[in-house]
Amino acid sequence: MTGSRVRAAKGQGGLLRDQLLGIADQLLESRGVEALTIRAVATSAGVSPPAVYLHFASKRELVHAACLRVWSSLFSEMEAVSREIPDPVTALHEACVAYIAFGLRHPSPYRLVMAGEATEASRQNEDACFRYFRDKIAACVDAGVPVESTTETARVLCAGVHGAVSLLIHQERDVWPPDSDGYVRRAASSAVHGALLTASHAFRPSVADMMRSG
């Protein structure tokens, strides 16, 4: 990754910033947050550390920006797979599939945003994700799905998809399910069914319920 950089033309400081964030993304994904330092990014970009500090006041700020850059693609991915689906429950399911798959593809940024030190990025993205799913649930309500509280139902749904990601990214990859795509879709289905089927009233499952659903 080390190399010389073509000096940015006057007024193109944003271009260097994007280059630095691209390098930070690679370090974060491949080697973790410990490897993401100002000096490492500067070396890879072929600039001096002070040049990086012109854009990021600290490693913490750099980590925040790198996480936000990765997470900005999540909402585009969720909308891309759900936007044209007329059934809002199916659209919600596909958005959940995209969310879980995103978390498994980007374990380091996901851990930092959802449970790590990137607190500013965490607040922004956690709030945005929650509002996104709550809006999707509101669309289900508009279609006639009985939901007492979109807020509480969104909380249950978020617990399901976040748990599906967290269960795996805190373990070594050799213990992940061999069929990761199948895991993602089943976990998304479980989250959506569990949240919506209990959205109007909670009930205690039984063997009889399982037999009827089969």
Side-chain angles (χ1 to χ4, degrees):
M1 292 172 62
T2 303
S4 60
R5 180 184 65 84
V6 176
R7 183 180 297 276
K10 184 177 181 180
Q12 291 186 325
L15 179 60
L16 173 58
R17 188 178 191 278
D18 287 342
Q19 292 172 338
L20 296 174
L21 282 174
I23 292 168
D25 288 345
Q26 294 177 45
L27 287 170
L28 189 58
E29 296 280 10
S30 63
R31 296 167 55 189
V33 67
E34 296 79 10
L36 179 49
T37 65
I38 297 291
R39 181 171 296 279
V41 170
T43 300
S44 296
V47 300
S48 65
V52 180
Y53 280 115
L54 288 175
H55 298 273
F56 306 101
S58 64
K59 172 183 174 177
R60 186 177 180 82
E61 184 176 314
L62 177 61
V63 170
H64 290 165
C67 286
L68 287 171
R69 187 174 190 263
V70 173
W71 276 72
S72 66
S73 66
L74 171 60
F75 299 99
S76 297
E77 292 181 22
M78 290 194 292
E79 274 301 283
V81 300
S82 65
R83 184 185 301 114
E84 303 301 326
I85 299 177
D87 186 312
V89 176
T90 304
L92 176 61
H93 172 263
E94 292 305 312
C96 289
V97 168
Y99 178 97
I100 297 170
F102 171 89
L104 298 185
R105 284 200 315 275
H106 304 286
S108 292
Y110 190 94
R111 281 194 297 266
L112 282 168
V113 168
M114 300 303 285
E117 67 182 49
T119 55
E120 293 174 24
S122 298
R123 282 192 295 270
Q124 293 182 44
N125 284 288
E126 287 174 358
D127 289 348
C129 285
F130 181 81
R131 289 194 301 271
Y132 179 88
F133 283 123
R134 187 176 59 189
D135 289 346
K136 288 291 187 185
I137 291 168
C140 296
V141 174
D142 291 342
V145 177
V147 174
E148 285 189 357
S149 168
T150 56
T151 296
E152 291 304 315
T153 302
R155 286 196 181 105
V156 172
L157 179 74
C158 288
V161 294
H162 173 61
V165 175
S166 297
L167 178 67
L168 297 192
I169 65 174
H170 288 92
Q171 302 183 56
E172 297 297 327
R173 284 186 176 269
D174 60 1
V175 300
W176 286 26
D179 180 10
S180 59
D181 289 341
Y183 169 83
V184 168
R185 300 199 72 84
R186 183 176 180 184
S189 178
S190 176
V192 172
H193 281 89
L196 294 183
L197 289 176
T198 61
S200 59
H201 67 282
F203 61 91
R204 185 173 64 181
S206 67
V207 170
D209 290 330
M210 296 301 100
M211 298 301 290
R212 281 196 296 269
S213 65

